[in-house]
Amino acid sequence: MNRATAIAHPNIALVKYWGKRDVEANLPAVPSLSLGIAEWRTETTVTWGAAFDRVFLAGEPAPAAFALRVSRHLDRIDPHRPRCEVETHNDFPTGAGLASSASGFAALTLAAIAASGRQATRWELSALARQGSGSACRSVPGGWAVWRDEAAVALEVDWPVRLVVCVVDERPKPVGSTEGMARSAATSPLWSTWLATAEGDVEAAIAALERRDLEALGAICERSTHKMFATMFTATPPLIYWQPVTVALLHEVQGLRARGIGAWATLDAGPQVKVLCAAADAPTVAAALAPLSLRTLVASPGGPARVVE
Ligand code: DP6
């Protein structure tokens, strides 16, 4: 077999990864906890055996920087690999703070290993995916995933919460996560506080998950998010991923809570707002946030990355 296709879902961190303790190995400076999104997916096919690497994104030759990241990741998986053709497709916007690199590197890793006929455990696949993009290691186990060291592991929690994803700007972000986190680490005066409080946030989030305490989990999620952005705003030069409508959405989320509806916001390196809520409240939350958004999606917990053919 020299060809395989894999699917992976993006994931959204509720306790955020921002910073590296080892840049070369791509090990995180802080632990993180995420939830996979069932409704979005990256599908990637790797076919080994070509004169040179050819990478297609949504049916078109991929931009050079994207193709280079793919080739470099495949080199890490197997330094003696043959050249190959890679076709990848996201059914959601690429590079706009919607975690396309997470599902992208997870699907690429699974497809590349399967196409070469190698066997690997989920832990090994997660560790390989991490080297392409840190958040990708959490898309391998999918669902509720915790990442501390080499690989992410799934938490066996069956809890059908929802994330209302508010897309407000589909343009690629001006500063990528890797560069953004390096800048925060090097220049933010808040960096040591960020590092010192992250483990406590993850432990409290896991405890909240175990007792299905959405209010506690939501509060930790917002706190982790705002601490992460505090390191961005206080970097030199500052990293401002938000748009005016992002702030309007955050006020609307507070307004929902004031009206007794449990809703808690998180954001990544981009202006989109993702709102954690109970399944029963999702229609109300989505209806309140839709007038401010380009698009809203009610997302439910997604499963692990998998080989499909
Ligand atoms: C803000 O995983 O994209 O989305 O490891 O450098 O590729 P690299 O970074 P990446 O960073 C994601 C950061 C975040 C928070 C999170 O997903 O935890």
Side-chain angles (χ1 to χ4, degrees):
M1 183 169 68
N2 71 338
R3 177 187 172 95
T5 299
I7 282 177
H9 301 282
N11 68 78
I12 302 297
L14 303 183
V15 180
K16 316 304 284 191
Y17 152 53
W18 193 250
K20 301 173 195 283
R21 69 170 187 267
D22 182 333
V23 172
E24 194 57 36
N26 209 28
L27 291 169
V30 290
S32 56
L33 181 147
S34 63
L35 183 60
I37 292 191
E39 285 77 4
W40 283 343
R41 46 171 69 192
T42 297
E43 182 172 323
T44 301
T45 301
V46 173
T47 310
W48 293 116
F52 52 91
D53 285 350
R54 293 181 351 133
V55 181
F56 296 90
L57 175 61
E60 302 288 329
F66 184 102
L68 190 63
R69 275 189 92 187
V70 168
S71 290
R72 285 212 179 120
H73 187 59
L74 295 171
D75 290 342
R76 274 191 294 262
I77 290 176
D78 179 2
H80 309 293
R81 69 183 178 88
R83 303 297 103 187
C84 64
E85 190 168 295
V86 176
E87 297 166 66
T88 190
H89 176 83
N90 297 323
D91 60 8
F92 58 96
T94 298
L98 291 170
S100 57
S101 68
S103 49
F105 280 101
L108 178 65
T109 302
L110 263 70
I113 294 286
S116 63
R118 278 164 64 186
Q119 298 293 320
T121 64
R122 189 169 282 170
W123 192 94
E124 289 165 339
L125 292 166
S126 174
L128 286 171
R130 179 200 86 233
Q131 295 169 47
S133 184
S135 52
C137 74
R138 300 185 310 231
S139 279
V140 174
W144 300 93
V146 176
W147 173 35
R148 283 194 167 87
D149 295 304
E150 282 101 296
V153 291
L155 295 173
E156 299 306 331
V157 172
D158 183 17
W159 190 19
V161 299
R162 296 290 181 266
L163 280 170
V164 176
V165 180
C166 303
V167 179
V168 300
D169 188 339
E170 298 190 323
R171 289 170 297 180
K173 55 197 168 204
V175 181
S177 301
T178 309
E179 184 186 337
M181 57 181 85
R183 192 187 300 174
S184 288
T187 63
S188 170
L190 305 183
W191 191 249
S192 56
T193 305
W194 168 245
L195 297 183
T197 58
E199 178 60 36
D201 286 346
V202 162
E203 280 169 19
I206 293 171
L209 259 180
E210 281 167 356
R211 51 177 208 274
R212 309 288 194 272
D213 183 342
L214 192 58
E215 192 163 348
L217 182 64
I220 296 158
C221 169
E222 280 204 350
R223 191 172 66 211
S224 172
T225 302
H226 289 307
K227 277 192 290 187
M228 176 183 77
F229 278 97
T231 76
M232 300 176 185
F233 291 134
T234 53
T236 306
L239 291 153
I240 304 178
Y241 289 106
W242 295 4
Q243 298 289 341
V245 67
T246 309
V247 181
L249 282 162
L250 292 175
H251 283 290
E252 193 59 42
V253 170
Q254 285 194 331
L256 281 163
R257 285 212 296 273
R259 301 202 293 280
I261 296 156
W264 295 270
T266 186
L267 302 93
D268 293 292
Q272 337 297 351
V273 180
K274 297 108 185 183
V275 181
L276 177 69
C277 62
D281 289 332
T284 311
V285 172
L289 303 178
L292 293 166
S293 312
L294 288 180
R295 289 192 290 134
T296 55
L297 168 94
V298 177
S300 41
R306 58 210 177 269
V307 175
V308 290
E309 59 186 66

